[in-house]
Each structure stands twice: as C-alpha cells, then as structure tokens.
C-alpha cells in the first residue's frame, strides 16, 4: 500500500534527544541523568524500577510506566527474554557524517538516497541538516571479513570507492565526524507487554 504523502524528518540525534528529555522534564517527569536501569519488576498497578546512580549505589522507584530508551542494548527485551538476533540479516554497517555532498533542488533536497552494491550491500546518504549528510555502507559480514580495512574510516572509504555511483557523489565531500562500525544491530523484540 502506497503512503499518500510519504515523508520523514531527519534530525541531529543528540540535539533531538536533548529536546525531548528537557520537554519531558518541563512536563513533570523526574529526570535522573547518569543513572542506568538494573532491573524492572512488573505488577498490575505499576513497575518497580531498580537503578544505579553514577557512583554505583542502587535505588528503587515505583513508576506507573517505563520507557526503554536503551537502544540496541535492549534492557527490557533482554530482561523479558525477547531480544532475538535476526539470523538472516548478517550485516555490518560503517558510517560517518559528511559535508559537501550534492543534493537535489527544491523539495527533493532532503530525500534519502540509496546506492546499491550488487550482491553484497548498499550505501545510504541521509541529509541530517542543511549541510551535513549521514553516509553509511551496509555490507554482508562475509564481504566485511574479506575487504575490511584497519580502521572504520578506511573501511568506509573502501566501500564508497567500490560502489558504483558513490565516487561521483563523494568527490567534494569532507568527513566531519569519526566513522564507526555497527554490527549485530538486527534484532527483533516482540514484547507484547
């Protein structure tokens, strides 16, 4: 089914997270930065959350609801035994942010572009701000074992050079963040809670 008005918004993640956190705080949420969840005990009338502070001392809090914002760590999914790696998607991503990548004009300026690497993966180009683009290579673990380089930057450069259409787009690009690897990021978490 085609979405009638397909649209997404890409944002600088750290800034977006900060805005959401401060809004929650202004709305009455008690924010405890630097703490980490240790355990959660669910009951019909709420959740008892055990957490550790920056000094390692543990405390508990009784809450009506819990939001797991632990990302791929999957705090709740792991606790509930529902953090399952997808055996089909055995891929590695290596990515960084760049400036100087040409974009389409007008409404399409913010469109995400995807370049394919025949049989082994693909490249994403995601506009994040007016000038910054996230660029990432997603390749099979087999290809990565054969072709990865000593650093994430060198590996990303290699994957970009060997992907049709990428060299022309990257000709004037300047990397503005360190590159990093992400592996084992494909998992399902059918919580149903």
């Amino acid at each position: 089914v085609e979405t009638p008005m397909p649209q997404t918004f890409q944002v600088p993640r750290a800034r977006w997270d900060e805005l959401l956190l401060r809004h929650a705080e202004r709305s009455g949420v008690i924010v405890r930065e630097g703490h980490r969840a240790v355990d959660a005990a669910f009951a019909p009338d709420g959740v008892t959350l055990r957490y550790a502070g920056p000094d390692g001392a543990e405390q508990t809090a009784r809450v009506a609801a819990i939001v797991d914002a632990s990302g791929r760590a999957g705090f709740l999914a792991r606790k509930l035994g529902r953090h399952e790696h997808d055996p089909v998607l055995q891929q590695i991503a290596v990515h960084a942010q760049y400036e100087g990548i040409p974009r389409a004009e007008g409404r399409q300026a913010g469109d995400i572009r995807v370049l394919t690497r025949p049989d082994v993966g693909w490249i994403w180009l995601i506009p994040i701000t007016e000038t910054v683009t996230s660029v990432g290579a997603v390749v099979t673990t087999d290809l990565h074992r054969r072709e990865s380089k000593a650093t994430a930057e060198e590996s990303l450069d290699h994957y970009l050079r060997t992907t049709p259409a990428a060299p022309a787009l990257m000709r004037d690009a300047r990397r503005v963040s360190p590159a990093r690897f992400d592996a084992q990021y494909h998992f399902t978490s059918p919580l149903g809670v």
Side-chain angles (χ1 to χ4, degrees):
V1 174
E2 182 70 24
T3 304
M5 303 247 340
Q7 187 170 5
T8 62
F9 294 94
Q10 307 303 325
V11 296
R13 179 62 189 268
R15 179 72 180 125
W16 177 249
D17 288 349
E18 180 72 17
L19 288 169
L20 291 176
L21 181 65
R22 297 303 159 219
H23 176 73
E25 193 171 45
R26 284 190 308 277
S27 299
V29 171
I30 297 169
V31 174
R32 293 191 173 106
E33 295 184 67
H35 294 70
R36 66 177 175 77
V38 175
D39 195 15
F42 293 88
D45 62 339
V47 182
T48 301
L49 180 66
R50 189 164 47 104
Y51 61 94
D55 61 357
E58 290 189 8
Q59 301 175 23
T60 60
R62 186 79 177 145
V63 297
I66 185 169
V67 174
D68 183 353
S70 64
R72 285 180 291 191
F75 165 70
L76 283 181
R78 288 181 194 278
K79 172 174 177 36
L80 299 172
R82 305 260 177 98
H83 191 274
E84 304 162 5
H85 283 284
D86 188 321
V88 175
L89 297 174
Q90 298 298 314
Q91 299 171 322
I92 301 286
V94 58
H95 52 92
Q97 294 183 353
Y98 291 81
E99 289 184 335
I101 296 175
R103 296 186 183 171
E105 297 292 321
R107 190 171 167 89
Q108 285 76 36
D111 285 359
I112 295 170
R113 286 187 275 185
V114 175
L115 311 175
T116 59
R117 289 189 54 134
D119 302 325
V120 294
W122 51 282
I123 304 289
W124 77 67
L125 295 103
I126 304 173
I128 301 296
T129 70
E130 294 295 320
T131 60
V132 175
T133 301
S134 172
V135 178
V138 177
V139 298
T140 64
T141 53
D142 288 341
L143 176 80
H144 187 67
R145 281 187 200 107
R146 288 191 314 270
E147 296 187 15
S148 68
K149 306 303 176 195
T151 68
E153 285 81 8
E154 292 171 313
S155 292
L156 181 55
D157 288 345
H158 168 72
Y159 297 138
L160 290 168
R161 277 192 319 276
T162 58
T163 299
L169 290 171
M170 300 301 293
R171 182 176 41 248
D172 297 322
R174 295 171 313 286
R175 191 169 38 78
V176 295
S177 77
R180 64 178 241 201
F181 286 111
D182 283 313
Q184 299 300 323
Y185 56 89
H186 299 97
F187 65 90
T188 59
S189 181
L191 289 177
V193 189

